[in-house]
Amino acid sequence: MKAILERDFFAFAMTKRFFWLRSLVVLVPIVFISIVAAFLEALTGQDEIGQIVFWTISLTLTGMILLFTPGMMAHVLAVERSNNKLDVLRSTPLSITGIVFGKWSSRASLLLMMWVAGMPLAATSLLFGGVAIHQFVALAAVSVTTIILASTLGLFASAVSRDVGRATMLAYTLLVLWAVGTSAIGGVSMAFMPTPANNTSWTFAEPSAAYVFLVHLYCALSPGGALLTIGMGGGFGVAARGFVGPAPALLMSPPTLYVVGSLAASAFFFWASVRSMARE
C-alpha cells in the first residue's frame, strides 16, 4: 500500500498538469478577490471586509478543487484496468483494500495539498476581523470532508468503469446528482415545515416526524446547512436549536452533523469500491 501511494503520489505530483492545477487553485481566488475588491470601497467596516474576503476565497477554493476532483480520481483504478495492470497488482501481497486505499490516498493527498496551498489566503481574513476562529476551523473541516466525499465518489466511478472516459463521465454525474439530490431534500423538507400557530405569533406547531428526518438528512449530506450556520456565526456543537425558522432541535449542529454524515458516506463509497474490485 505504501509503495502504491509513493509511486502514484510522486508520479502525478511532478507532472505539468499538477503544476497548473496547483497554480490555478491559488491564482483564481486571488483574481476573484481582486474583482471583489473594487466593490469593497463602499464598505466602511473592517468586519465586513474580513467576511467578504473569507467567504470569497474559501468558497472559490473549495469549488475549484471540487471541479478538479472527479477528473483526477476517475483515473486511479480505471487506467490500471485499461492497461491490464490490475492482475499485476493482485499478484502482490497487498489486499484489495490496500490497493484501493493506496490508489485513493495518492490522489486525495494531492487534492488536500492544493487545498492547504490556498487556505493561507482565506486566513488573511482574520487580520480584518469579522470572522471568528471557530468559524474558520468549522469551514476548514466542512471543506476537507467535502473534498474527501467527492474523492470517494470519483473512486467509486473508477472502480465500476471499464475505461477512463466512462469513469470520468460517471464521476461528474455522481457529483452533480449529489448536489441536485441534497438540494431536492432541502426543498422537499419545506413542504413539511410547521406553520405558525396563528398569524401574529412566531410560535410554530410541533414538527412532524417526516420534517425532523428530512432536516437531519439534509444537514448530514449537504454542505449548505453547515455553511449557512457558519455564516450566522455558528460552529461545532453537540446540539442545535432553531437552525432555520421552525427547524426542530438537531442532534448535532449542522457543521458537526455534516462532517459526520459526509465521512460516513465516504466510508460507504470506499467500501463499495473495494467490493466492486473484489468481484472482478
Side-chain angles (χ1 to χ4, degrees), residues 239-251:
R241 292 181 178 274
F243 164 51
V244 177
L250 299 177
L251 297 176

Side-chain angles (χ1 to χ4, degrees), residues 58 62 112 115 119 138-148 227 258:
S58 299
T62 304
L112 293 176
W115 177 81
M119 280 307 288
L139 184 61
V142 169
S143 298
V144 168
T145 52
T146 300
I147 293 171
I148 292 175
L227 295 175
Y258 174 72

Side-chain angles (χ1 to χ4, degrees), residues 85-107:
K85 292 183 178 180
L86 282 180
D87 291 336
V88 176
L89 290 175
R90 288 196 180 97
S91 66
T92 64
L94 292 174
S95 64
I96 295 296
T97 302
I99 294 173
V100 173
F101 182 79
K103 288 289 186 179
W104 170 78
S105 58
S106 65
R107 295 299 173 88

